[in-house]
Amino acid sequence: MGLHFVVDTASSHFGLLVDHDPSEQSAPDSQVPSPRNHDMESRCFVSLRASIRLLGMLAFIGSCVNSLAVEPESNGMLNQLLARPLGNPLGLEWEGWLEQGFSWNPDSPADRFNGPVNQNDRANEYQMNQLYLIASKPVDDTSDHWSCGFQADLLYGTDAFFFQALGLDDRIVSDSNSRFYKLALPQLYAELYAPIGSGVTIQLGKWFTPVGYETGLPNDDFFYSKAIGFNNTPYSHTGILMSFDLGDHWSFSHGLHRGTDVWEDNNENLGYCGSAQWANEEESTVCTFAINLGPEQDERADFQDIDGSPGPDAPGENLYRVTYSLTLEQRINERLQYVANHDYFYQEGSETFAIENAEAYGLTQFLIYDYSDCLSLGARLEVYRDDDGFVGSGFRSLNAAAPGVYTNLTLGIQRLLTPSCYVRPEIRWDWQSRDDTADTPAFDDGTSTHQFLVATDLVLWF
């Protein structure tokens, strides 16, 4: 596979071009030879050369682009194609983005997974992470009248797997048809605005969780890769969520839902999630606490089943799960921002299967410097403790998780090429300290306790 960054100077068009060689298609994990042979070493060298060439091209382009908008924004192409020709009598808004990327792993792991690294989890392989489309009719939350609306999201790509919900979109594309490229409906909800007090917004359906700092969406997160603590954060809930402000400094949300990442509940009990946020007058300091708790009996796969085998868990156990996040966002000056995010995870064990309670927690710190209107530099340092080996593995890799401490450092940039197109190259180091050195390591297909990645994505927002 060859990865090239193509620029048409005459038309100012650019993009990633991927050439696939049939002889280099990913083999099933069980068919990948180990130890590595000369062909794998050659692919590793080619991947290294492609990564260096790509990063060099990005740096060159970055030096040639003038200052643009402060933040990426949609170019409105979907609205022009869909809303305007139809007259848009319903006031619909359309937007989306295309995210594609590549992660070079010099270890060239036999299973081609980057251990517990999430989303950009495939090693030395092109990923179209997200082709994301949104259709919405936003509520008018600035008036003193009732207002209703909706939002429907559609996602295709290698990230769709993570956004799926049990009983809704998890069976649209089976593994036998496509192991990595799936379809998902990340959000699907009706929305109501009530002019009560300072205003109350109610969402009914499937909506994103308020827990966590990183979201998994490229227009929200600074880095292409995600922190390890992101693995224990829910993506979505199905239920009802109410959000409102109290005064000028406080915002709250409260919701009841059917469970974590589920559309069809597998028990009769509701879960709860909520958040409280405080911001100072200038909004230079923002503190957010968010929590999700409730009975979980996840039936999707081995890596999430409490009993460690496919199929439903023991009925009636209603094993409780608690996740929360505490985030501080501090604007130090007009160019420099600091973020600290604490994640906590607890899963009640199973008496039926003699499984003990599981606990994990960590601290992730971000430092982001706005060098110019179109270039930002960032660093992320995470220390994450997995007490029981429950969440320290990759979601798709099925690697055995080992109790211990996971540490990673990521350095990257976010560069605007146009107001609606940007790149996020990064380098990342991961290392693991196991409680028991006899446990299987987390990286390089279970053979190493450390990992180095060079990765980048390109995002076009339309």
Side-chain angles (χ1 to χ4, degrees), residues 283-323:
E283 296 187 352
S284 59
T285 302
V286 180
C287 300
T288 307
F289 174 77
I291 188 169
N292 173 65
L293 53 92
E296 301 288 345
Q297 292 177 245
D298 206 328
E299 302 175 1
R300 283 203 291 187
D302 286 354
F303 54 81
Q304 289 180 312
D305 260 345
I306 192 66
D307 64 357
S309 62
D313 299 325
E317 287 201 275
N318 291 332
L319 305 176
Y320 263 77
R321 181 178 299 177
V322 179
T323 57

Side-chain angles (χ1 to χ4, degrees), residues 116-128:
V117 175
N118 204 342
Q119 294 194 339
N120 64 317
D121 56 350
R122 297 294 288 167
N124 305 329
E125 186 173 299
Y126 164 80
Q127 290 184 259
M128 190 184 79

Side-chain angles (χ1 to χ4, degrees), residues 203-215:
Q203 295 174 344
L204 179 63
K206 182 174 183 268
W207 30 265
F208 286 144
T209 185
V211 179
Y213 177 69
E214 293 180 308
T215 68

